[in-house]
Amino acid sequence: MKQDKEMPFNGDFEDSDADEDDISQESESEEEQIQIKKKKKKVVNSSKKLIMNVSDTQYPVVKFVGKMIYKFKLSYVPYLENNNWDFCWTDNAVLPETLSKMQPHQRINHFPGMYSLARKNHLGRNLNKMQKQYPDEYDFYPRTWMLPSEYGDFKAQFQKGKAKTFIVKPEASCQGKGIFLTRSIDQINPQEHYVAQRYIHKPLLIDGLKFDLRMYVMICGCDPLRIYLYKEGLARFATQQYSSPHSTNLDDVCMHLTNYAINKDNPNFVFNEDEKKMDVGHKRSMTSVFDWLRLQKQNVDQLLSDIKDLIIKTFCAVQPILQQNYTQVENYANNMCFEILGFDILIDSSLKPYLLEVNHTPSFTTDTPLDSYIKKNLIRDAVTLMNINVKTKNEIISQKKDQMQKRVFTGKKAKLSYEEKRVLKMQAQKERDEYELKNKGDFELIYPCDKSYDEFLQHAQKLYEDWTGANIRRNLKRDTISEQPKPQSCTQKPILTQKSQLYKHVQSKVNTNLYPTKITKADQEVTQEEPEQTLQQVREPIQSQPQLEPDNFVTYEDYQQSESLKDLYNFAEKRIPEIQLIDLIQFRRAESKQDNSSFQIIQMSQQNSLSNLSPLMQIKSIQDQKNEKKFSIRKKNKQSKQIDQEQLYFQQQSHYQPPIQQHSISYQQQVQMQNGSFVKPKVFSIKLQHPPKGYKLQSLPILMQQNYTKQRQEQGV
């Protein structure tokens, strides 16, 4: 949208629509007004005109730019009560909660967290932290002390030889209020909160007057940083001829301070009455000062380069804070907030710039033609640069509707990967670069630039993490990993390379002994060449250092690599009594097949039906059989009850008396078999010393007891 750049503004503006709204509100009752406010909260602006909320600004030039240049509809309803606006201009700070409630197409003229620059104590603290790491790079501001926290160090400055002059400011003030110069520590209350700075006693003078520059910097992105410098600014002059500070002139604020609010009441102050004559009076344009310096054969280009470098380094010190408070994670264009800051720069006699302070709400008063001209164009170019128009708003709303429709159809919110988000950010940034290159007006992009500032940004991020404690867990985890003892080297070279394979081997052996595979004729033809080797693998006892064999088991999660394999080998050796139980079950099974062929046929049919299942699933399927016998297991460290042995392990069936029942009971009455295994299974407490995460080992004695009971059922005992 091409705007009239030379539309005149005389410093006053009245909105006729605001009076009509006030009259209509007075005529309505209180109940009707409450209902209207509730409706307005839900209503979204669908008109062709954008709504600009100016309820929290006192400057007429802001309303003039919105109403007369951009044809916005001005809204005077508090923006915190009514979200029906497209662009909001406020003179106060914005909280992160306000930003989180905004729609993607809405814009506001402040960043949350800008107190890190605007408050004098926060600015001094952040710059001091960076100066400790980079003393040569961060020497663009006077040495600063935060009182009373640094009162001891500041007091020591008065005990070193020649008297020094310090300028003391309240930590949260503006317009020169409460500022004074001192050479004595006795004038400072150690309990008051101040920011003390070393006074620059050799400033650059024009016409014998001290001055500073009010430079307008616009930050329109924090992640990543995006900084513009306005080509025009203000030069504010003191009204008294300057002389070096001494005990007799420390109280002359009109000599040492350049604030417009202080000097405008001095009788010597000269107002600028013609915007075309920008080099007249005690408030001049910044470009007129640079032109004067060029006439004095000064290197203005180097001065501007130093000022740009100063501005970028200042933002680098607080970028992590701004990024943390910017809560719009889905705003890939990084353009929901912007802020015009006032950087106060003082130039010394050697043409070195110094940063005095940063104002997050610079004054937009227009009591002179020069103010009206500069500030009107500044606000106009800022709104143009942020691309605030109806077309952009409709595009964003249509994209949002498409996302909602996809969410309704799929039933869930689409989650983008990191790569997809990165592509969207790059695409949005490319479109923004193309637009701003054509519509930047009198703004100059100073960051990103050819010079790299990544080192400062990374150190600022580290300082922020240290301050918030975000890296405490990371450091503790790193320390615990470094302090873990290395695994002891085994004297004997282990066969297994992974500890999970040991458990896998033991489990496969247990299941193989419980349910030996039935060799069919087809299998015999395949394994005719090595029949003895196959039987040897089935009946081979588990060794302390087993050899791996291929099987159909899925490998479990690896154990922790910091433990020794020697402990697991010792653990396997302790399981010999349990393996003896397996041998007993196999021996009983062989005897039952010889005594009763009918039971052998039933057993073969059951094994064939379960042959397609894994060993663990076979055991589980046995529990689901209808005729399963009830049994109980003796608990360790409990006295055994004197119960009939037949009632303990099975329930008798009156209609069936198996022929080998007496033979089975005789085996049970024996304490120990000839092969050394126990007849009655003993319950062992088996637990892995270092079990894998997320896996519960089924108790091995339970499995053996279930197999023992199953064997008795098959025999009809």
Side-chain angles (χ1 to χ4, degrees):
M1 180 188 298
K2 187 176 180 179
Q3 304 298 341
D4 185 7
K5 190 171 184 178
E6 300 299 333
M7 182 175 290
F9 175 64
N10 57 5
D12 295 329
F13 175 75
E14 293 182 1
D15 186 15
S16 58
D17 295 340
D19 298 335
E20 294 177 1
D21 294 341
D22 295 338
I23 295 172
S24 61
Q25 289 180 2
E26 291 176 0
S27 60
E28 296 171 352
S29 62
E30 294 182 358
E31 296 181 357
E32 293 177 352
Q33 291 180 8
I34 294 173
Q35 293 179 0
I36 292 173
K37 288 182 179 180
K38 290 182 179 179
K39 291 180 180 179
K40 285 183 178 180
K41 289 182 180 180
K42 301 179 182 180
V43 174
V44 178
N45 179 28
S46 59
S47 63
K48 295 183 179 180
K49 281 189 176 183
L50 296 181
I51 297 178
M52 179 179 180
N53 193 296
V54 292
S55 60
D56 196 25
T57 182
Q58 60 177 338
Y59 301 115
V61 64
V62 176
K63 303 174 185 178
F64 174 83
V65 172
K67 182 74 173 181
M68 304 306 296
I69 298 180
Y70 284 95
K71 308 302 180 183
F72 291 154
K73 181 181 179 181
L74 303 185
S75 173
Y76 296 89
V77 181
Y79 72 95
L80 295 176
E81 299 179 4
N82 184 5
N83 200 34
N84 184 22
W85 48 266
D86 303 300
F87 173 40
C88 178
W89 189 286
T90 174
D91 297 339
N92 298 304
V94 174
L95 299 176
E97 292 78 6
T98 302
L99 185 63
S100 62
K101 297 177 182 178
M102 290 171 54
Q103 299 298 323
H105 69 276
Q106 292 179 321
R107 303 288 184 268
I108 196 166
N109 71 320
H110 282 289
F111 274 92
M114 196 55 72
Y115 64 88
S116 56
L117 281 182
R119 292 285 294 269
K120 297 178 180 63
N121 56 338
H122 286 277
L123 175 63
R125 186 178 296 110
N126 292 324
L127 293 180
N128 284 344
K129 290 179 180 179
M130 296 295 290
Q131 190 185 45
K132 290 181 180 179
Q133 182 68 18
Y134 307 101
D136 297 334
E137 297 289 343
Y138 279 81
D139 62 343
F140 52 79
Y141 69 101
R143 189 176 179 185
T144 306
W145 294 266
M146 270 61 66
L147 306 179
S149 59
E150 298 177 355
Y151 182 81
D153 188 15
F154 179 65
K155 185 178 180 180
Q157 303 299 318
F158 294 88
Q159 301 174 0
K160 297 179 181 179
K162 186 178 178 181
K164 301 176 183 178
T165 305
F166 297 89
I167 181 169
V168 183
K169 310 174 185 178
E171 63 180 19
S173 66
C174 59
Q175 298 180 349
K177 298 176 182 177
I179 300 177
F180 62 93
L181 274 66
T182 182
R183 284 190 166 189
S184 174
I185 189 64
D186 299 332
Q187 296 181 3
I188 299 175
N189 186 350
Q191 304 298 328
E192 294 291 336
H193 290 263
Y194 288 110
V195 175
Q197 289 182 326
R198 181 72 186 273
Y199 185 79
I200 301 173
H201 62 282
K202 292 183 179 180
L204 179 65
L205 303 179
I206 297 179
D207 298 335
L209 301 175
K210 181 181 178 181
F211 71 95
D212 70 349
L213 300 178
R214 167 60 61 87
M215 305 188 73
Y216 295 104
V217 180
M218 179 175 172
I219 173 174
C220 51
C222 64
D223 185 22
L225 275 178
R226 197 169 186 85
I227 308 171
Y228 281 89
L229 175 64
Y230 198 61
K231 295 181 180 180
E232 190 57 278
L234 295 174
R236 305 176 301 177
F237 286 77
T239 53
Q240 295 289 343
Q241 292 290 320
Y242 179 80
S243 63
S244 297
H246 51 82
S247 58
T248 59
N249 65 0
L250 292 179
D251 296 334
D252 194 349
V253 293
C254 292
M255 177 190 296
H256 301 290
L257 303 183
T258 59
N259 300 77
Y260 172 73
I262 293 176
N263 287 276
K264 70 178 181 178
D265 296 330
N266 191 291
N268 298 330
F269 189 87
V270 178
F271 287 88
N272 179 282
E273 297 180 356
D274 189 357
E275 64 181 25
K276 295 181 180 180
K277 296 181 180 180
M278 297 185 178
D279 57 348
V280 177
H282 288 87
K283 182 185 286 188
R284 308 175 188 179
S285 67
M286 182 178 67
T287 54
S288 66
V289 173
F290 292 154
D291 292 339
W292 182 86
L293 290 174
R294 289 187 179 96
L295 293 176
Q296 302 298 321
K297 306 300 182 180
Q298 299 290 343
N299 191 351
V300 178
D301 295 336
Q302 182 62 40
L303 173 63
L304 286 173
S305 177
D306 294 340
I307 292 175
K308 294 173 185 177
D309 183 69
L310 174 156
I311 294 171
I312 296 172
K313 290 177 180 177
T314 303
F315 278 109
C316 289
V318 299
Q319 189 272 341
I321 302 175
L322 299 179
Q323 180 181 351
Q324 183 67 23
N325 286 274
Y326 189 77
T327 56
Q328 292 294 339
V329 293
E330 295 184 358
N331 181 228
Y332 302 115
N334 189 29
N335 62 349
M336 290 186 65
C337 295
F338 73 97
E339 189 157 357
I340 299 175
L341 301 168
F343 275 64
D344 292 343
I345 307 295
L346 179 69
I347 304 173
D348 66 0
S349 58
S350 62
L351 219 66
K352 179 180 179 180
Y354 285 90
L355 175 65
L356 300 182
E357 61 182 40
V358 180
N359 297 274
H360 76 109
T361 55
S363 174
F364 286 104
T365 55
T366 53
D367 50 0
T368 65
L370 180 64
D371 287 313
S372 300
Y373 176 78
I374 294 176
K375 295 174 181 178
K376 178 201 68 174
N377 295 338
L378 170 65
I379 298 172
R380 181 208 61 219
D381 291 346
V383 176
T384 303
L385 191 64
M386 292 305 297
N387 197 11
I388 303 175
N389 53 61
V390 177
K391 181 181 178 181
T392 305
K393 171 190 173 182
N394 294 335
E395 291 177 355
I396 296 174
I397 292 177
S398 62
Q399 293 176 2
K400 196 70 175 178
K401 287 183 179 179
D402 294 341
Q403 294 178 2
M404 292 299 296
Q405 289 179 356
K406 291 180 181 179
R407 185 174 180 179
V408 170
F409 293 152
T410 58
K412 58 182 180 180
K413 185 177 180 180
K415 294 183 178 180
L416 301 178
S417 63
Y418 174 79
E419 185 65 24
E420 292 174 341
K421 291 181 179 179
R422 189 180 67 85
V423 172
L424 290 175
K425 286 183 178 180
M426 293 178 61
Q427 182 180 358
Q429 193 62 52
K430 182 179 179 181
E431 295 176 357
R432 185 175 183 181
D433 292 340
E434 294 175 354
Y435 172 83
E436 293 180 356
L437 184 63
K438 301 176 182 179
N439 300 275
K440 60 183 179 180
D442 290 334
F443 278 103
E444 178 187 359
L445 181 66
I446 62 174
Y447 189 84
C449 60
D450 297 335
K451 184 179 178 180
S452 176
Y453 291 85
D454 294 341
E455 183 179 3
F456 305 121
L457 291 171
Q458 292 174 3
H459 184 69
Q461 181 66 33
K462 179 180 179 298
L463 292 176
Y464 179 75
E465 292 178 354
D466 293 339
W467 177 56
T468 58
N471 60 346
I472 292 179
R473 292 185 178 180
R474 187 187 312 149
N475 295 337
L476 290 176
K477 185 177 180 181
R478 189 186 300 113
D479 295 341
T480 54
I481 292 175
S482 61
E483 291 176 1
Q484 283 183 356
K486 295 182 179 180
Q488 299 178 358
S489 58
C490 301
T491 56
Q492 184 178 1
K493 186 176 181 180
I495 298 176
L496 301 179
T497 58
Q498 291 183 351
K499 300 173 185 179
S500 59
Q501 295 176 349
L502 176 62
Y503 173 77
K504 168 187 171 183
H505 181 77
V506 173
Q507 185 70 16
S508 62
K509 282 294 182 182
V510 170
N511 289 283
T512 304
N513 290 332
L514 289 175
Y515 293 97
T517 56
K518 189 70 177 179
I519 301 176
T520 60
K521 294 181 179 181
D523 297 333
Q524 290 178 358
E525 294 177 0
V526 176
T527 59
Q528 278 180 359
E529 298 179 359
E530 298 176 351
E532 297 179 358
Q533 183 178 359
T534 305
L535 294 176
Q536 184 179 0
Q537 292 177 357
V538 174
R539 299 178 182 178
E540 183 181 2
I542 299 177
Q543 302 175 0
S544 61
Q545 294 183 354
Q547 298 180 357
L548 296 178
E549 297 176 359
D551 49 38
N552 296 328
F553 283 83
V554 179
T555 307
Y556 298 103
E557 296 182 1
D558 295 337
Y559 291 93
Q560 299 178 2
Q561 297 296 329
S562 61
E563 299 298 334
S564 176
L565 291 173
K566 188 175 181 180
D567 297 338
L568 295 176
Y569 295 152
N570 296 335
F571 174 72
E573 292 178 355
K574 295 179 181 179
R575 300 179 68 171
I576 293 177
E578 302 156 18
I579 304 304
Q580 293 176 354
L581 293 176
I582 299 175
D583 296 339
L584 171 63
I585 295 172
Q586 190 173 359
F587 174 76
R588 293 288 305 274
R589 183 183 299 163
E591 276 197 354
S592 63
K593 290 180 181 180
Q594 294 177 2
D595 295 341
N596 196 340
S597 61
S598 61
F599 294 140
Q600 184 178 5
I601 296 173
I602 295 173
Q603 181 180 3
M604 291 174 60
S605 63
Q606 290 179 352
Q607 290 181 356
N608 291 334
S609 62
L610 299 176
S611 61
N612 295 329
L613 300 177
S614 62
L616 294 177
M617 292 300 295
Q618 293 177 16
I619 297 174
K620 185 177 180 181
S621 62
I622 295 172
Q623 298 178 355
D624 298 335
Q625 295 181 3
K626 295 182 180 180
N627 297 327
E628 182 181 3
K629 302 296 182 178
K630 295 183 179 180
F631 64 94
S632 61
I633 304 175
R634 292 182 181 180
K635 303 293 182 181
K636 189 168 59 175
N637 299 330
K638 289 187 178 180
Q639 296 181 357
S640 59
K641 297 182 181 180
Q642 295 181 357
I643 304 175
D644 189 5
Q645 199 161 7
E646 295 179 355
Q647 294 180 0
L648 180 62
Y649 291 99
F650 62 91
Q651 294 179 354
Q652 288 186 348
Q653 298 181 0
S654 58
H655 62 280
Y656 181 70
Q657 294 285 342
I660 61 173
Q661 180 177 3
Q662 296 179 357
H663 184 67
S664 300
I665 295 174
S666 64
Y667 275 113
Q668 292 179 3
Q669 292 176 355
Q670 296 178 5
V671 179
Q672 199 172 15
M673 295 294 292
Q674 295 178 359
N675 59 357
S677 61
F678 293 94
V679 175
K680 293 185 179 181
K682 216 174 190 180
V683 177
F684 296 91
S685 177
I686 298 178
K687 292 184 180 179
L688 290 178
Q689 294 181 359
H690 307 284
K693 295 181 179 179
Y695 176 74
K696 292 184 178 180
L697 175 65
Q698 192 172 0
S699 179
L700 187 61
I702 296 289
L703 299 179
M704 291 186 291
Q705 180 64 42
Q706 292 174 356
N707 187 78
Y708 178 75
T709 305
K710 172 184 172 299
Q711 182 67 30
R712 296 177 65 87
Q713 293 174 0
E714 293 174 353
Q715 295 176 359
V717 180

